[in-house]
Amino acid sequence: MASRTAPDPARRSERAHSAVLAATTELVAEIGYGRLTIEAIAARAGVGKQTIYRWWPSKGAVVFDAFLAAGEHEGGIALPDTGDLAADLRAVLRPTSDELADPDTDRTYRAIMAEILNDPALQAEHRTRLLDPLLAVTRDRLRSAREAGQIAPDTDLDLAVEIVYGPLYYRWQYRLGPLTHEHADRLVDAALRALNPPSAGGGSCA
Amino acid sequence: MASRTAPDPARRSERAHSAVLAATTELVAEIGYGRLTIEAIAARAGVGKQTIYRWWPSKGAVVFDAFLAAGEHEGGIALPDTGDLAADLRAVLRPTSDELADPDTDRTYRAIMAEILNDPALQAEHRTRLLDPLLAVTRDRLRSAREAGQIAPDTDLDLAVEIVYGPLYYRWQYRLGPLTHEHADRLVDAALRALNPPSAGGGSCA
Amino acid sequence: MASRTAPDPARRSERAHSAVLAATTELVAEIGYGRLTIEAIAARAGVGKQTIYRWWPSKGAVVFDAFLAAGEHEGGIALPDTGDLAADLRAVLRPTSDELADPDTDRTYRAIMAEILNDPALQAEHRTRLLDPLLAVTRDRLRSAREAGQIAPDTDLDLAVEIVYGPLYYRWQYRLGPLTHEHADRLVDAALRALNPPSAGGGSCA
Amino acid sequence: MASRTAPDPARRSERAHSAVLAATTELVAEIGYGRLTIEAIAARAGVGKQTIYRWWPSKGAVVFDAFLAAGEHEGGIALPDTGDLAADLRAVLRPTSDELADPDTDRTYRAIMAEILNDPALQAEHRTRLLDPLLAVTRDRLRSAREAGQIAPDTDLDLAVEIVYGPLYYRWQYRLGPLTHEHADRLVDAALRALNPPSAGGGSCA
DNA sequence: TATTAACCGAGACGGTACGTCCGGTCTTAGA
DNA sequence: TCTAAGACCGGACGTACCGTCTCGGTTAATA
């Protein structure tokens, strides 16, 4: 898949590339991912099918690129370090919740998720460009909190991110309930309790 | 979808029905869900295509039925109530972990998951026959623990099940790491901390 | 290729079969063989492409079948045996000339001829259904003439048919001149001279 | 089409031109005319596609040029005038037979023939560079024979060349039989009978 | 026990989209 | 400055399956 930020020098028509992504975004919104076809994308974009096959390996890859190009997903939601871990986690879980609650994003991300589940190549792309950056900044923030004594000193950061994000995605993917700020806040509280030193009282709130 | 336990009396050939499920199981293992086709199932099962369309609405539905028929998934993993909540949760998270770690189940369940994400009808089927029973028994067990004072008296049981299961599925679906008993145990510990009364003092910061 | 006179019992839709041939005939007339596509035939006939591929091996085969179905080409132009060999040969060469002079037949037969030149399977089909019957009746008539002493008793019938038909097709394919009855008659005269006993005077005219 | 003998002064690369013809000859031999593509020729010749389109209007034109460049076809088979018409005609029909019997020439000439049938431009090229010269020298030889009283004084020379060459090409194109010297000789004999004055008496009836 | 209606296997059917190939044009990099 | 290389738009290819349909040929429950 061609990188958005470092276009393949062999690519001749930037116009074609962006037309494909735009057409894809429109079509996903109009007819949904399931009914989306490469032919329809090519027709809408005014592009030969071969041009799509030349630069993307699969329909899922096109949609994923379009998803990234459409939003500010890449590079990620900011995860600030204000010293207040709860506030900082809320600052990431609330917008994530909002995005997943948005019907357009919901539909698109479900489609991408479905492809990822069965397409290792696309999964790798997703890891590299979306998930790993998010997990990395989250681990960084938690490491900082661990050093500040706000969470248990033996906290496994990999496990910690699962505890932070897992419940939210679980609710989303099985549609167990609405994704609200209030719900996100309670997940943050629960996560902090899980990460806090189990006893010893308190935890040093900022 | 025809119920497995209450066959439609109009169904003439139980043989055909089970041959379809068997063929589906084999083919998913052999060629994967993505390459699976109704025609291939029909051919392998020695069955007319119409027979499949008569009893199942979609490829996903057949695979889901085959998945249920193949294992003891339905009716669910037992969730005992020994009084030891941690042990009881381990008794459900460990086998779940094992199943998801098994390559065959992994592949099939990913396929089903992918369909569920975009097919509301299949999602409903999944909820009814797999997820809701599991969540129900889990909520029951947690309610019992809440009454026993083992977890906070104001625990939201819906939130609680997300905290129990979410992290595991998050790790599984994004392939963040191996699914081991040790990992399952640590998730149980984390969940219990999240659900515990803030004991002495401290607890979550406002 | 399915025989027109003995339809494959597996063929289910006679409607589809004849619609294909009709659409082909129309399209050849409208856009010519070169621009003819299987897709256009299928669309015009209201038929799936696969239905065409199921019954015909190539575009040329469809066109050839359509050509046969459209005219009385098959079974052939009558070659009577009136006892007057010259008259009988004129009775076959004149209509043949007329057909080749007709713009529609000309165009279609050129297309078929072009395919035959490079497609052995189609050539065999052409031999079986068009050429061989024509050559056979011609040889029969010439044999009869040989027995009647109208042509040399040692006449090679295979060579004779080449002499009868060759010059006409040569003129046609290279567009060396107009195909008229007068021309056909002169070819008949020439052929008879070539086949007559070289000397001994005359030949027994009826 | 660029003339071989009078290169366009604008042509920059004689190397490219001959590489195209050489590649074409090779490819026709290797994969046949039907599977031959402009792209393959360009790739094999180490030439840009545009270079081919610049100098030839169609695939058939390239092949025809390659055919001419490969052999001594152009300028034609010699048709001597020894005074012995039969011998002179054998001197042209025998080598023609031989050429058409050669598998390589057969294949290539069939391909060219197929294109000629449906491409007027290529037909004109073929007439100009191959057929007309051959017919012209043949007519000349027959005119000479007519003046010498060897054939009928009212012989139509256009008809005569059809009678001379038609049967051979007829046999060739429909693959009616092997092309041997013996066969060519018999065609010459037959042609001479057809063209001879009716000698003593008889001749054509009616 | 014979009839008959349904279900069954098989697979043809009208379609849609696939991923590939190639035609003919246009753009770029480099000799 | 021109060429090789090949990206580009377009469109047909032949294939794979879809979901529907039409066939005979069993069944299995009536009559």
Side-chain angles (χ1 to χ4, degrees):
Chain A
M1 192 181 301
S3 164
R4 186 168 59 90
T5 52
D8 190 318
R11 186 160 63 227
R12 301 277 282 283
S13 170
E14 187 53 42
R15 193 215 125 260
H17 189 249
S18 52
V20 167
L21 297 184
T24 302
T25 301
E26 291 170 30
L27 284 168
V28 168
E30 288 174 23
I31 61 176
Y33 180 78
R35 284 188 239 291
L36 181 67
T37 66
I38 297 278
E39 297 210 327
I41 295 172
R44 174 73 65 104
V47 143
K49 280 202 288 179
Q50 199 63 247
T51 300
I52 297 180
Y53 286 109
R54 185 146 42 225
W55 301 115
W56 290 275
S58 66
K59 187 176 76 162
V62 183
V63 173
F64 183 55
D65 252 22
F67 177 67
L68 292 182
E72 289 74 30
H73 312 288
E74 203 169 9
I77 291 143
L79 210 178
D81 188 346
T82 64
D84 181 348
L85 179 59
D88 292 350
L89 289 179
R90 279 193 292 270
V92 67
L93 276 194
R94 283 178 167 197
T96 300
S97 240
D98 289 343
E99 277 205 283
L100 293 177
D102 171 69
D104 267 9
T105 308
D106 173 85
R107 205 162 39 164
T108 304
Y109 196 61
R110 274 180 196 279
I112 292 169
M113 189 70 224
E115 291 297 303
I116 285 172
L117 279 164
N118 289 295
D119 179 344
L122 191 59
Q123 163 139 38
E125 187 76 12
H126 175 261
R127 283 289 297 266
T128 305
R129 300 177 61 188
L130 263 193
L131 192 57
D132 279 348
L134 174 64
L135 299 186
V137 297
T138 307
R139 272 194 299 266
D140 286 347
R141 181 62 190 87
L142 290 170
R143 185 179 299 110
S144 158
R146 190 175 60 185
E147 284 163 6
Q150 295 165 333
I151 60 176
D154 63 344
T155 300
D156 177 333
L157 297 180
D158 290 326
L159 198 76
V161 296
E162 296 169 15
I163 290 164
V164 169
Y165 292 114
L168 177 60
Y169 281 88
Y170 191 71
R171 168 178 278 237
W172 169 74
Q173 74 189 353
Y174 289 120
R175 301 184 202 270
L176 297 180
L179 304 183
T180 64
H181 284 195
E182 197 249 334
H183 173 258
D185 293 350
R186 291 165 69 193
L187 284 185
V188 169
D189 291 344
L192 287 185
R193 283 196 299 276
L195 299 175
N196 266 342
S199 57
S204 53
C205 296
Chain B
M1 189 182 302
S3 164
R4 187 168 60 89
T5 51
D8 189 318
R11 189 187 318 136
R12 297 281 296 286
S13 172
E14 184 55 40
R15 192 214 126 259
H17 190 252
S18 53
V20 167
L21 297 183
T24 301
T25 300
E26 291 170 30
L27 284 168
V28 168
E30 287 174 23
I31 62 176
Y33 180 77
R35 282 189 244 289
L36 182 67
T37 65
I38 297 279
E39 297 209 328
I41 295 172
R44 173 73 65 103
V47 143
K49 282 201 288 177
Q50 200 60 251
T51 301
I52 296 179
Y53 285 111
R54 188 148 36 228
W55 302 115
W56 292 274
S58 68
K59 186 176 78 161
V62 183
V63 173
F64 184 54
D65 252 23
F67 177 66
L68 291 182
E72 288 74 29
H73 313 287
E74 204 168 7
I77 292 142
L79 209 177
D81 188 347
T82 64
D84 180 348
L85 180 58
D88 293 351
L89 288 180
R90 278 194 292 271
V92 67
L93 276 195
R94 283 179 167 197
T96 300
S97 239
D98 289 344
E99 278 205 284
L100 294 176
D102 171 69
D104 269 7
T105 309
D106 173 86
R107 203 162 37 169
T108 304
Y109 197 61
R110 276 180 196 280
I112 292 168
M113 190 69 226
E115 289 297 302
I116 283 171
L117 279 165
N118 290 295
D119 178 344
L122 192 59
Q123 163 140 39
E125 186 77 13
H126 175 260
R127 283 289 296 266
T128 304
R129 298 177 62 187
L130 264 194
L131 192 57
D132 280 349
L134 174 65
L135 297 186
V137 297
T138 308
R139 270 194 301 265
D140 286 348
R141 181 62 190 87
L142 289 170
R143 185 178 298 111
S144 158
R146 188 174 62 185
E147 285 163 5
Q150 295 167 332
I151 61 176
D154 63 345
T155 300
D156 177 333
L157 297 180
D158 289 327
L159 197 76
V161 296
E162 296 169 16
I163 290 165
V164 169
Y165 291 115
L168 177 61
Y169 281 88
Y170 191 71
R171 170 178 276 236
W172 168 73
Q173 74 190 351
Y174 289 121
R175 301 185 200 269
L176 296 180
L179 304 182
T180 62
H181 283 194
E182 197 247 335
H183 172 258
D185 294 350
R186 290 166 69 193
L187 284 185
V188 169
D189 291 345
L192 287 185
R193 283 196 299 276
L195 301 174
N196 263 345
S199 64
S204 68
C205 303
Chain C
M1 190 182 302
S3 164
R4 186 168 61 89
T5 52
D8 191 318
R11 186 160 65 227
R12 302 277 280 282
S13 170
E14 186 53 41
R15 193 215 124 259
H17 190 247
S18 53
V20 167
L21 297 184
T24 301
T25 301
E26 291 169 30
L27 286 167
V28 168
E30 288 174 23
I31 61 176
Y33 180 78
R35 285 189 241 290
L36 181 68
T37 65
I38 296 278
E39 296 209 328
I41 295 172
R44 174 73 66 100
V47 143
K49 278 203 288 178
Q50 199 61 247
T51 299
I52 297 180
Y53 285 109
R54 184 143 45 221
W55 300 114
W56 290 276
S58 67
K59 187 176 76 162
V62 183
V63 173
F64 183 55
D65 253 22
F67 177 67
L68 292 182
E72 290 73 30
H73 313 286
E74 203 168 8
I77 292 145
L79 210 178
D81 188 346
T82 63
D84 181 347
L85 178 60
D88 293 350
L89 289 179
R90 280 195 291 270
V92 67
L93 276 195
R94 282 179 168 195
T96 301
S97 237
D98 289 344
E99 278 205 283
L100 293 177
D102 171 70
D104 267 10
T105 308
D106 173 85
R107 204 163 39 167
T108 304
Y109 196 61
R110 274 179 198 281
I112 292 169
M113 189 70 224
E115 291 297 303
I116 284 173
L117 279 165
N118 290 295
D119 179 343
L122 191 58
Q123 163 140 38
E125 187 76 12
H126 175 262
R127 282 289 296 267
T128 304
R129 298 177 63 188
L130 263 195
L131 193 57
D132 280 349
L134 174 65
L135 299 185
V137 297
T138 308
R139 271 193 300 265
D140 287 346
R141 181 64 189 84
L142 290 170
R143 185 178 299 112
S144 159
R146 189 175 60 183
E147 285 162 6
Q150 295 166 333
I151 61 176
D154 62 342
T155 300
D156 179 333
L157 296 179
D158 291 327
L159 197 77
V161 297
E162 295 169 15
I163 290 165
V164 169
Y165 293 114
L168 177 61
Y169 281 88
Y170 190 72
R171 169 178 278 236
W172 168 73
Q173 74 190 352
Y174 289 120
R175 300 184 203 269
L176 296 181
L179 304 182
T180 63
H181 284 195
E182 196 249 334
H183 173 258
D185 293 351
R186 291 166 70 194
L187 286 184
V188 169
D189 291 343
L192 287 185
R193 283 196 299 276
L195 300 175
N196 267 342
S199 59
S204 53
C205 299
Chain D
M1 191 180 300
S3 163
R4 186 167 59 89
T5 52
D8 190 319
R11 190 190 314 140
R12 295 283 298 283
S13 170
E14 183 57 37
R15 194 215 123 260
H17 190 251
S18 52
V20 167
L21 296 183
T24 301
T25 301
E26 291 170 29
L27 285 167
V28 168
E30 288 173 24
I31 61 177
Y33 179 77
R35 286 188 241 289
L36 182 68
T37 66
I38 296 280
E39 298 208 327
I41 295 172
R44 174 73 66 101
V47 143
K49 281 202 287 178
Q50 199 60 251
T51 301
I52 296 180
Y53 286 110
R54 190 149 33 230
W55 302 114
W56 291 274
S58 68
K59 187 177 76 162
V62 183
V63 174
F64 184 54
D65 254 22
F67 178 66
L68 292 181
E72 289 74 29
H73 313 287
E74 206 168 9
I77 290 143
L79 208 177
D81 188 347
T82 63
D84 180 348
L85 179 59
D88 293 350
L89 289 179
R90 280 195 291 270
V92 67
L93 277 194
R94 283 180 167 194
T96 300
S97 241
D98 288 343
E99 277 205 284
L100 294 176
D102 172 69
D104 269 8
T105 309
D106 173 87
R107 204 164 37 172
T108 305
Y109 196 61
R110 275 178 198 280
I112 292 168
M113 189 70 225
E115 289 298 300
I116 284 172
L117 279 165
N118 291 294
D119 179 343
L122 192 59
Q123 165 142 40
E125 186 77 12
H126 175 259
R127 285 288 296 267
T128 304
R129 299 177 63 188
L130 264 195
L131 192 58
D132 279 349
L134 174 64
L135 298 185
V137 297
T138 308
R139 271 193 301 265
D140 286 347
R141 181 63 191 85
L142 289 170
R143 185 178 298 112
S144 158
R146 189 173 60 182
E147 285 162 5
Q150 296 168 330
I151 60 176
D154 62 343
T155 300
D156 178 335
L157 297 179
D158 291 326
L159 197 76
V161 297
E162 295 169 15
I163 290 165
V164 169
Y165 292 115
L168 179 61
Y169 281 88
Y170 191 72
R171 169 178 279 235
W172 168 73
Q173 74 189 350
Y174 290 121
R175 301 184 203 269
L176 296 181
L179 304 181
T180 62
H181 283 195
E182 196 249 336
H183 173 257
D185 293 350
R186 290 165 71 192
L187 285 185
V188 169
D189 292 342
L192 287 185
R193 283 196 299 275
L195 300 175
N196 264 344
S199 63
S204 67
C205 301

